[in-house]
Amino acid sequence: MSPILAGVLQLIALVAALALAYRPLGDYMAATYSSRKHLRVEKIIYRCIGAHPDTEMRWPAYLRGVLAFSLAGVLFLYLLQRLQGSLPLSYGFASISPDQAFNTAASFVANTNWQSYSGEQAMGHVVQTAGLAVQNFVSAATGMAVAIALVRGFSRTRTGDLGNFWADLVRGTVRVLIPIAVIGALVLVACGAIQNFSGIHEVGQFMGGTQQTNGGAVASQEVIKELGTNGGGYFNANSAHPFENPNGFTNLFEVFLILVIPFSLTRTFGKLVGNVRQGYAVLATMGVIWLGFTALMMWTEFAHGGPALQAAGGALEGKETRFGIGGSSIFSVSTTLTSTGAVDSFHDSFTAFGGGIQLLGMMLGEIAPGGVGSGLYGMLVMAVIAVFIAGLMVGRTPEYLGKKIGTREIKLAACYILITPTLVLGFTAASMVLPDALGSILNTKALGAGPHGFSEVLYAFTSGANNNGSAFGGLNANTPWYNTTIGLAMLLGRFLPMVFVLALAGSLAGQKPVPETAGTLRTEKPLFAGLLVGTILIITGLTYFPALALGPIAEGLS
């Protein structure tokens, strides 16, 4: 079988698996977030945290819950790392330095999982399981809660109420993430991923000699790192490590885990607003972009542009032969179009245009299908922008799902789409003029970094501000400047957009419904899906094209 055919068959199998899971999982999540009943374990959690799950919240109260919970998570994870040297099961690892502890705490709480360290050489079992793995669950549940709050903004009228953050957080964790994670961990263990609490030990090598390696609760953390679109690996090699990702089947299974909730949430959206065809329109938009980027990445990486590539059958540098170019391309596009950041290959070794595709996927806002929760609310904000543009074309007040998109709503949506580019381009520009920051570019001379060196810095801040977490490996980001600035980019890129999303949800929930007329734009039709795709690509292109031209495009054309 040719490598190209193998890649296409993997893509077909993945789409089929996602299609089978779409309706049951989407309906289940809709029932979860609309249920009036509380499980016994949920009631215990509510009593422990002092929450009243049946109390409705307006958007400021909902936002305060999100920020208070996330701040507590940052402080707890920071202290856990700073105290690691005194904790059991640390296996002699020292406490994490202040700037790196801040960066890591911000990273995992913001659902980014950017890692400026090697996990097997820095983090003990307590920090990994009680700190990082816990945040993998609750940061994902937080994103889902905000997405559901925005959906309620469209479905509710004249109330301003968005539900209860604590109930949404607990239900997303207990009813959705944990059950799927348990099943997924069993699958990974059955396929060869490790799950233990052993320490550092010597293992033999095929070519003779030994090397040190760690054990750990890898399978359980691996499954939620993908399912919650987190991305932080137990090992520095991430999903290229055989303990995390043993074979081709687990590689495809992990991609399935990354995509299944973000895609299925469009079904949940359709059910909650009372029109599943609206969910299908959003799904079609996400699917077209994801499939288009995957096909483009495969074409780029399989292109035989030189003797070395012709001999290898494609751009195999930095890719695992266990997965090949097809599997690596699917994984790469899926992680950069979601806020996952996991890698099964070395992104820095992709072709120049391949790296540009990864960058562009994150620059879209990671909305196709995007992160768990964040992908849906990001896409709905873009839908508001698309409806507004359509209204300008015909001279009609824009409406979406029976709600008027007025001055307040469009200002909130505009603020949402401006935050991330401001962080990415601002921090990148500062890094390219500071000598110390330029000195972190390892594979080029500091004052002559060239297009690829610029791409490495641009990728770092694009990844951080979009809460992705992957990186181009030629940049030493474990410095005070990058730990601090990327940490700030992750926190601001995560929580500032949530402010505007929840404010938008509150504004919509306070409106009365607008009756549908002959002039109403049919947002469940293919025409609107095409308009939405075009809006996303045009806005992203106008924002980032100059930066892309200086980086991957210049490198690819040179």
Side-chain angles (χ1 to χ4, degrees), residues 91-108:
Y91 297 106
F93 292 146
S95 296
I96 308 301
S97 65
D99 59 298
Q100 191 173 60
F102 162 73
N103 181 278
T104 304
S107 175
F108 278 78

Side-chain angles (χ1 to χ4, degrees), residues 32 39 67 86 108 122 169 176 188 200 231 261-263 308 310 339 371 384 390 420 427 433 436 483-484 492 544:
T32 294
L39 302 180
L67 296 180
S86 304
F108 278 78
L169 173 72
V176 179
L188 290 180
I200 301 173
I261 290 181
F263 274 130
Q310 290 175 4
S339 61
V384 168
T420 304
F427 280 128
V433 298
D436 289 344
N483 277 331
T484 303
L492 295 174
Y544 288 109

Side-chain angles (χ1 to χ4, degrees), residues 481-534:
W481 166 258
Y482 283 109
N483 277 331
T484 303
T485 54
I486 294 176
L488 290 172
M490 290 186 290
L491 289 175
L492 295 174
R494 173 70 165 179
F495 296 109
L496 278 181
M498 286 183 174
V499 173
F500 297 109
V501 168
L502 291 173
L504 176 63
S507 178
L508 294 169
Q511 293 186 23
K512 62 180 181 180
V514 179
E516 186 175 305
T517 67
T520 300
L521 176 64
R522 302 298 297 272
T523 53
E524 78 280 11
K525 297 291 186 178
L527 177 63
F528 179 73
L531 173 65
L532 185 51
V533 171

Side-chain angles (χ1 to χ4, degrees), residues 65-406:
V66 171
L67 296 180
F69 178 74
S70 300
L71 176 61
V74 171
L75 293 176
F76 174 76
L77 189 51
Y78 177 84
L79 290 175
L80 200 64
Q81 294 175 84
R82 296 291 293 134
L83 297 173
Q84 176 173 251
S86 304
L87 295 175
L89 299 177
S90 63
Y91 297 106
F93 292 146
S95 296
I96 308 301
S97 65
D99 59 298
Q100 191 173 60
F102 162 73
N103 181 278
T104 304
S107 175
F108 278 78
V109 172
N111 197 241
T112 310
N113 290 32
W114 172 273
Q115 295 172 285
S116 59
Y117 60 89
S118 298
E120 66 268 41
Q121 298 176 6
M123 301 295 184
H125 291 326
V126 172
V127 174
Q128 290 274 20
T129 55
L132 306 184
V134 168
Q135 285 303 322
N136 281 348
F137 281 96
V138 296
S139 65
T142 299
M144 294 169 67
V146 173
I148 296 299
L150 179 57
V151 174
R152 292 191 185 117
F154 286 108
S155 63
R156 296 183 176 183
T157 59
R158 296 184 178 182
T159 66
D161 295 332
L162 301 178
N164 186 283
F165 167 70
W166 304 107
D168 293 337
L169 173 72
V170 172
R171 288 179 177 184
T173 303
V174 172
R175 301 192 194 184
V176 179
L177 296 174
I178 289 179
I180 301 176
V182 170
I183 297 171
L186 293 175
V187 172
L188 290 180
V189 170
C191 292
I194 67 170
Q195 181 75 10
N196 57 55
F197 284 101
S198 66
I200 301 173
H201 53 278
E202 298 283 339
V203 296
Q205 296 178 309
F206 288 115
M207 303 300 293
T210 61
Q211 69 179 48
Q212 290 186 332
T213 187
N214 291 22
V218 175
S220 58
Q221 187 158 326
E222 182 74 13
V223 69
I224 189 56
K225 113 180 179 188
E226 314 293 16
L227 181 67
T229 59
N230 295 283
Y234 211 100
F235 298 96
N236 187 47
N238 205 276
S239 293
H241 198 292
F243 287 177
E244 292 192 23
N245 191 3
N247 51 55
F249 170 78
T250 58
N251 190 65
L252 205 60
F253 179 65
E254 290 183 13
V255 178
F256 170 80
L257 291 174
I258 292 169
L259 299 174
V260 66
I261 290 181
F263 274 130
S264 298
L265 274 173
T266 62
R267 172 77 180 185
T268 304
F269 161 66
K271 293 285 288 187
L272 292 179
V273 300
N275 187 343
V276 294
R277 295 177 68 185
Q278 296 287 349
Y280 290 144
V282 176
L283 172 67
T285 304
M286 292 177 171
V288 166
I289 295 174
W290 175 70
L291 285 171
F293 270 61
T294 303
L296 192 59
M297 179 67 85
M298 283 191 179
W299 173 79
T300 300
E301 297 304 300
F302 275 118
H304 300 170
L309 300 185
Q310 290 175 4
L316 270 172
E317 181 187 351
K319 297 180 177 67
E320 276 286 322
T321 54
R322 290 177 294 148
F323 312 136
I325 293 175
S328 299
S329 298
I330 295 170
F331 200 105
S332 170
V333 169
S334 298
T335 58
T336 49
L337 279 173
T338 62
S339 61
T340 310
V343 296
D344 73 345
S345 54
F346 201 45
H347 283 194
D348 200 33
S349 292
F350 275 64
T351 62
F353 290 131
I357 293 169
Q358 295 163 354
L359 266 169
L360 184 59
M362 294 185 289
M363 289 171 174
L364 293 179
E366 295 177 322
I367 52 177
V372 168
S374 62
L376 178 61
Y377 67 66
M379 183 61 80
L380 292 180
V381 170
M382 295 303 300
V384 168
I385 298 290
V387 166
F388 176 73
I389 293 174
L392 291 178
M393 292 178 178
V394 299
R396 177 184 171 88
T397 301
E399 303 163 8
Y400 186 51
L401 299 177
K403 300 295 179 70
K404 284 188 176 182
I405 307 302

